[in-house]
């Protein structure tokens, strides 16, 4: 498993810019009603691994050293860049998130699958909930998953469901028409190539229709217990830029992921998504952030902008 994860991480390091399925439209968008055009990007979920036998939950990190890390080790004069005050900012966010009462904490991906079904079905349900979650509120994704699970949610059951019925079951998730198509295509591939399971590598996951990098990172973490990178959605992207956690302003979640992975200690990679997503849902809101109540107000370069 370690070798496979390391190989996957290497592949991702070299070619992670691949965009699949949906394009980003920003935050707070409502689902497209029947008949409208569709574009989507990834949604957001926190993560906790599903173990095959569910005996223990443990994350494994497998990465290739970044150039920055290599240079840190060979040149004593090179000082690695890191954001000013990030440790205190992070501690403040942990404090603000200590109640764990954001939507992502109750309805995130780790709450959307059925723990009583076989592990490979759980993993399929994890992937499906991630596909549904793009540009969709957690409550809406959870509702769609509930309706799907009530019918017995497996690769076979989805393939036996006609498109119209599937659309009715997942509506009103964002870009539901596109998702019907991608879910059907991906399910057929999983049945043909993976015996109904999901692949255990990033490269194979992002090759599936409608599965983007952030979904793949979360699927690896939740379904396979492997931390392969930082899952960056619009919340993480926005907050990282507001706090100047990237060396320069970044334009896309993927750019932000690369910028964060250059300096953020690996032991924090699995935590950062859920932490910032909830922070973005409750305090550092997309349009009117609640800076007055934010513990980072005095440390945040963006606090005066709102
Ligand atoms: S001060 Fe405002 S912009 Fe800065 S992190 Fe807090 S809520 Fe976000």
């Amino acid at each position: 498993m370690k070798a496979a994860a390391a190989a996957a991480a290497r592949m991702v390091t070299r070619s992670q810019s691949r965009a699949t399925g949906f394009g980003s439209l920003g935050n707070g968008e409502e689902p497209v009603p029947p008949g409208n055009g569709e574009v989507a990007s990834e949604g957001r979920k926190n993560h906790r691994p599903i173990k095959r036998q569910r005996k223990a939950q443990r994350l494994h990190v497998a990465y290739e050293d970044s150039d920055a890390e290599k240079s840190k080790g060979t040149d004593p004069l090179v000082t690695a860049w890191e954001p000013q005050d990030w440790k205190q900012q992070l501690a403040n966010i942990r404090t603000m998130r200590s109640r764990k009462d954001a939507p992502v904490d109750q309805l995130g991906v780790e709450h959307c699958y059925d723990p009583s079904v076989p592990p490979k079905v759980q993993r399929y349900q994890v992937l499906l909930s991630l596909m549904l979650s793009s540009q969709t509120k957690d409550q809406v994704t959870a509702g769609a998953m509930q309706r799907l699970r009530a019918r017995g949610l497996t690769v076979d059951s989805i393939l036996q469901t006609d498109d119209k019925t599937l659309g009715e079951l997942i509506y009103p998730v964002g870009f539901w028409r596109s998702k019907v198509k991608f879910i059907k295509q991906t399910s057929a591939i999983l049945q043909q190539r993976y015996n109904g399971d999901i692949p255990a590598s990033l490269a194979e996951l992002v090759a599936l229709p409608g599965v983007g990098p952030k979904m793949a990172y979360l699927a690896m973490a939740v379904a396979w217990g492997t931390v392969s990178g930082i899952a960056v959605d619009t919340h993480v992207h926005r907050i990282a830029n507001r706090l100047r956690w990237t060396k320069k302003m970044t334009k896309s979640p993927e750019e932000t992921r690369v910028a964060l992975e250059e300096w953020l200690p690996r032991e924090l990679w699995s935590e950062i998504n859920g932490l910032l997503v909830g922070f973005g849902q409750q305090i550092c809101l997309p349009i009117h952030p609640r800076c007055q109540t934010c513990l980072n107000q005095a440390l945040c370069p963006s606090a005066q902008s709102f």
Side-chain angles (χ1 to χ4, degrees):
M1 171 62 82
K2 270 190 164 182
R10 281 194 294 275
M11 293 180 76
V12 167
T13 303
R14 289 166 187 154
S15 61
Q16 192 54 51
S17 61
R18 182 183 187 282
T20 58
F22 307 115
S24 177
L25 288 179
N27 274 284
E29 295 182 51
E30 293 302 319
V32 179
N36 284 357
E38 296 160 349
V39 184
S41 71
E42 297 170 54
R44 62 269 183 264
K45 293 291 164 285
N46 55 352
H47 45 292
R48 184 181 302 158
I50 293 172
K51 281 307 192 184
R52 286 176 184 173
Q53 302 304 321
R54 300 186 66 77
K55 285 180 180 171
Q57 296 195 331
R58 189 175 47 188
L59 295 181
H60 305 282
V61 180
Y63 306 98
E64 188 175 71
D65 279 350
S66 66
D67 290 343
E69 286 173 320
K70 284 171 186 165
S71 64
K72 266 194 278 181
T74 55
D75 187 347
L77 296 178
V78 172
T79 305
W81 179 88
E82 63 178 25
Q84 196 179 355
D85 300 323
W86 75 271
K87 287 181 182 166
Q88 187 56 52
Q89 291 166 337
L90 180 64
N92 289 340
I93 293 170
R94 283 189 178 127
T95 301
M96 289 185 274
R97 291 277 289 116
S98 59
R99 288 167 59 185
K100 297 280 180 204
D101 54 1
V104 71
D105 300 312
Q106 315 301 324
L107 302 165
V109 61
E110 63 191 12
H111 302 287
C112 283
Y113 66 87
D114 181 353
S116 68
V117 298
K120 80 173 182 183
V121 180
Q122 292 178 37
R123 288 190 283 270
Y124 174 66
Q125 293 184 357
V126 166
L127 183 64
L128 211 71
S129 69
L130 288 168
M131 294 176 75
L132 292 175
S133 70
S134 66
Q135 296 297 300
T136 303
K137 289 182 174 157
D138 290 327
Q139 296 88 332
V140 176
T141 303
M145 284 298 292
Q146 219 167 18
R147 291 189 292 279
L148 290 170
R149 280 171 49 187
R151 296 163 50 98
L153 180 53
T154 64
V155 167
D156 289 340
S157 74
I158 287 294
L159 290 174
Q160 286 161 14
T161 304
D162 63 77
D163 288 5
K164 182 172 177 294
T165 304
L166 184 55
E168 289 167 356
L169 286 166
I170 68 171
Y171 183 82
V173 300
F175 311 102
W176 60 275
R177 283 180 189 275
S178 296
K179 288 176 184 176
V180 166
K181 187 177 72 179
F182 289 134
I183 286 170
K184 281 291 188 74
Q185 291 172 344
T186 285
S187 299
I189 293 169
L190 297 182
Q191 187 187 56
Q192 289 158 15
R193 297 188 199 160
Y194 300 99
N195 192 28
D197 206 340
I198 70 170
S201 79
L202 272 164
E204 290 171 292
L205 282 167
V206 296
L208 295 169
V211 179
K214 195 219 71 172
M215 297 179 209
Y217 284 118
L218 284 178
M220 287 299 293
V222 178
W224 293 111
T226 301
V227 176
S228 306
I230 300 172
V232 176
D233 72 339
T234 53
H235 290 288
V236 178
H237 172 61
R238 178 182 71 255
I239 295 165
N241 276 279
R242 283 179 178 172
L243 289 172
R244 306 291 189 265
W245 279 10
T246 56
K247 213 185 258 183
K248 57 177 185 174
M249 298 301 272
T250 54
K251 294 189 177 126
S252 69
E254 256 309 274
E255 213 182 310
T256 302
R257 179 189 64 78
V258 173
L260 287 175
E261 288 179 4
E262 282 178 4
W263 67 268
L264 190 69
R266 288 176 181 178
E267 60 269 24
L268 300 176
W269 288 15
S270 66
E271 176 192 9
I272 210 72
N273 176 271
L275 198 63
L276 294 192
V277 168
F279 181 51
Q281 290 175 333
Q282 294 185 308
I283 296 175
C284 196
L285 305 173
I287 298 179
H288 297 298
R290 296 174 177 147
C291 302
Q292 298 300 321
T293 61
C294 179
L295 296 179
N296 280 330
Q297 191 179 17
L299 296 174
C300 177
S302 304
Q304 304 304 322
S305 316
F306 302 103

